């Protein structure tokens, strides 16, 4: 059976192929290192923003898979550079002849599988981010007042740092704070008539006001930061209550974080695509170089033209060869095989005497 996708390679073509694969190997190692850095950065960001993400969503699966794929690509690039460098010298290549095949197999199965998994997770991440941020930020705003409740003591500090750091306010805007009680009950006077009226006017018995925390204030605004009675025109006669962005962050934290994490995931997805493309090129080139050198006994400077190929025969022949090798491996060794009985040398002599 003829070889699959044969490629004739003369001496100059073999040398150029080895040199090109050496450069491609280091390029793959560089891109694999960038993938490691990008996936590590995304993993750190997801860890830092975990208080504002739904715990039920397994978002860190993407950077973890990308970390493994980047490490595999980096290792394959370094090994490929070593193999192609040794292929240019017939004296240095023999130690690589036995390990180049397993390297190609591991790079194809392991590295390709990890890259495909990470790329699939990168495509599915934006859909999961939206729902995770929606639930996580809603829970964070609800627990803002629970400064003395075990498990939620740091919710106020985390939300304030989020709004100050990302210059956002509320989940979708400042008005989201109007629908949650963000002032702790310890600071409310239960004997105050205004407080009692405000609590009784709410069906759930919450103290709701048209105000926002201090972390929503924009320090670059020329206006003083007014946190209370934001919807009342009488309280702010010189400003329009419909324009809250004059002294508050107008963007919601949901949109800001979603755009930030999607940008990181998009960068990581691009690096994974480039890594996959370079890895396929390197594996194909190494396979052609390996089969070409095997035809010359491992000497790249051998005389004449040799042929590189992907597979020595068709799929049927490959499966048959593998099955035969498996059967041969199960047969007993020659020294373990039962000794056959020696032929009886006296029998012919007895028959001749009988005939006489």
């Amino acid at each position: 059976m003829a070889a699959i996708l044969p490629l004739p390679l003369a001496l100059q073509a073999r040398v150029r192929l080895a040199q090109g694969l050496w450069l491609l190997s280091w390029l793959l190692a560089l891109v694999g290192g960038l993938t490691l850095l990008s996936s590590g950065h995304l993993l750190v960001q997801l860890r830092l923003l975990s208080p504002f993400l739904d715990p039920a969503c397994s978002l860190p699966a993407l950077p973890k898979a990308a970390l493994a794929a980047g490490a595999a690509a980096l290792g394959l690039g370094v090994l490929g550079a070593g193999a192609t460098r040794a292929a240019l010298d017939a004296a240095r290549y023999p130690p690589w002849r036995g390990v180049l095949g397993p390297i190609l197999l591991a790079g194809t199965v392991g590295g390709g599988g990890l890259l495909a998994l990470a790329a699939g997770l990168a495509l599915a991440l934006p859909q999961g981010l939206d729902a995770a941020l929606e639930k996580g930020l809603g829970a964070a705003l609800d627990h803002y007042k629970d400064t003395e409740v075990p498990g939620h003591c740091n919710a106020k500090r985390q939300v304030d740092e989020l709004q100050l750091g990302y210059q956002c306010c509320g989940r979708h805007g400042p008005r989201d704070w109007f629908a949650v009680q963000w002032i702790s009950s310890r600071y409310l006077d239960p004997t105050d008539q205004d407080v009692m009226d405000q609590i009784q006017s709410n069906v759930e018995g919450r103290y709701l006001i048209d105000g926002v925390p201090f972390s929503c204030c924009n320090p670059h605004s020329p206006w003083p930061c007014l946190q209370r009675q934001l919807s009342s025109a009488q309280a702010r006669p010189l400003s329009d209550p419909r324009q809250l962005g004059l002294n508050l962050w107008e963007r919601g934290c949901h949109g800001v974080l979603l755009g930030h994490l999607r940008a990181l995931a998009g960068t990581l997805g691009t690096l994974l695509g480039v890594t996959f493309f370079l890895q396929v090129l390197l594996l194909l080139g190494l396979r052609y170089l390996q089969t070409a050198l095997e035809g010359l006994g491992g000497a790249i400077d051998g005389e004449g033209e040799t042929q590189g190929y992907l597979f020595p025969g068709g799929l049927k022949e490959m499966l048959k060869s593998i099955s035969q090798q498996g059967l041969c491996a199960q047969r007993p060794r020659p020294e373990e095989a039962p000794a056959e009985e020696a032929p009886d040398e006296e029998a012919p002599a007895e028959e001749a005497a009988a005939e006489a």
Side-chain angles (χ1 to χ4, degrees):
M1 188 69 179
I4 298 177
L5 297 178
L7 180 64
L9 294 172
L11 174 60
Q12 192 66 21
R14 295 194 297 269
V15 173
R16 290 180 178 178
L17 177 61
Q19 292 174 346
L21 290 176
W22 182 81
L23 293 175
L24 185 62
S25 298
W26 285 117
L27 182 59
L28 176 62
L30 175 61
V31 177
L34 293 177
T35 304
L36 281 174
L37 294 177
S38 180
S39 55
H41 180 58
L42 178 58
L43 182 61
V44 171
Q45 290 297 309
L46 290 175
R47 296 292 187 188
L48 293 176
L49 297 175
S50 59
F52 314 108
L53 297 171
D54 185 15
C57 299
S58 58
L59 299 176
L62 167 62
K64 291 179 179 179
L67 277 172
L74 178 60
L76 179 61
V78 174
L79 291 176
T84 52
R85 182 70 174 178
L88 294 172
D89 187 356
R92 297 172 56 186
Y93 183 70
W96 289 91
R97 294 183 64 179
V99 299
L100 191 54
I103 289 175
L104 291 174
L105 181 61
T108 303
V109 178
L114 286 173
L115 282 173
L117 174 62
L121 291 175
L123 294 176
L125 180 65
Q127 289 75 19
L129 272 176
D130 195 353
L133 286 171
E134 190 73 22
K135 295 181 180 179
L137 285 172
L141 265 63
D142 289 337
H143 295 300
Y144 185 86
K145 67 179 187 305
D146 300 333
T147 56
E148 297 181 346
V149 178
H152 303 292
C153 303
N154 298 324
K156 181 181 183 302
R157 177 182 58 82
Q158 292 170 347
V159 173
D160 287 336
E161 291 179 351
L162 174 69
Q163 295 186 146
L164 289 171
Y166 287 88
Q167 298 181 358
C168 58
C169 182
R171 183 165 49 178
H172 299 287
R175 296 186 183 276
D176 290 337
W177 289 106
F178 298 177
V180 297
Q181 179 181 342
W182 55 272
I183 299 179
S184 177
S185 300
R186 61 182 295 188
Y187 300 112
L188 299 177
D189 186 4
T191 61
D192 188 271
Q193 187 62 38
D194 294 337
V195 174
M196 295 175 60
D197 294 342
Q198 190 71 18
I199 294 176
Q200 292 175 1
S201 63
N202 184 267
V203 177
E204 298 179 0
R206 296 181 298 174
Y207 182 75
L208 304 180
I209 60 173
D210 52 349
V212 296
F214 78 95
S215 54
C216 285
C217 295
N218 182 1
H220 307 293
S221 173
W223 294 87
C225 185
L226 301 177
Q227 301 174 240
R228 304 294 183 88
Q229 299 180 350
L230 298 178
S231 59
S232 175
Q234 291 77 15
R236 301 190 304 164
L238 298 179
S239 61
D240 187 355
R242 294 172 297 181
Q243 299 179 354
L244 299 180
L246 292 177
N247 60 359
L248 300 176
W249 301 121
E250 197 171 9
R251 300 182 303 170
C253 294
H254 178 275
V256 174
L257 295 181
L258 185 62
H260 174 63
L261 293 177
R262 277 182 174 176
L264 294 179
T267 302
L268 180 57
T270 303
L271 287 174
L272 288 172
V274 175
T275 304
F276 181 79
F277 178 71
L278 294 177
Q279 185 166 321
V280 169
L281 290 181
L282 180 61
L283 290 173
L284 290 176
L286 285 176
R287 177 58 177 170
Y288 275 107
L289 182 63
Q290 178 200 24
T291 52
L293 293 182
E294 288 299 322
L296 297 172
I300 195 172
D301 54 352
E303 297 181 359
E305 184 180 274
T306 185
Q307 180 176 269
Y309 51 84
L310 289 183
F311 301 105
L315 180 60
K316 183 177 180 180
E317 285 71 15
M318 289 176 57
L319 296 177
K320 183 178 180 180
S321 176
I322 294 174
S323 63
Q324 289 178 352
Q325 290 177 1
L327 292 176
C328 292
Q330 295 177 359
R331 292 178 180 176
R333 296 180 180 179
E335 60 270 13
E336 296 177 357
E340 297 181 357
E341 295 182 357
D344 191 358
E345 298 180 355
E346 299 178 356
E350 294 178 356
E351 293 178 357
E355 292 178 357

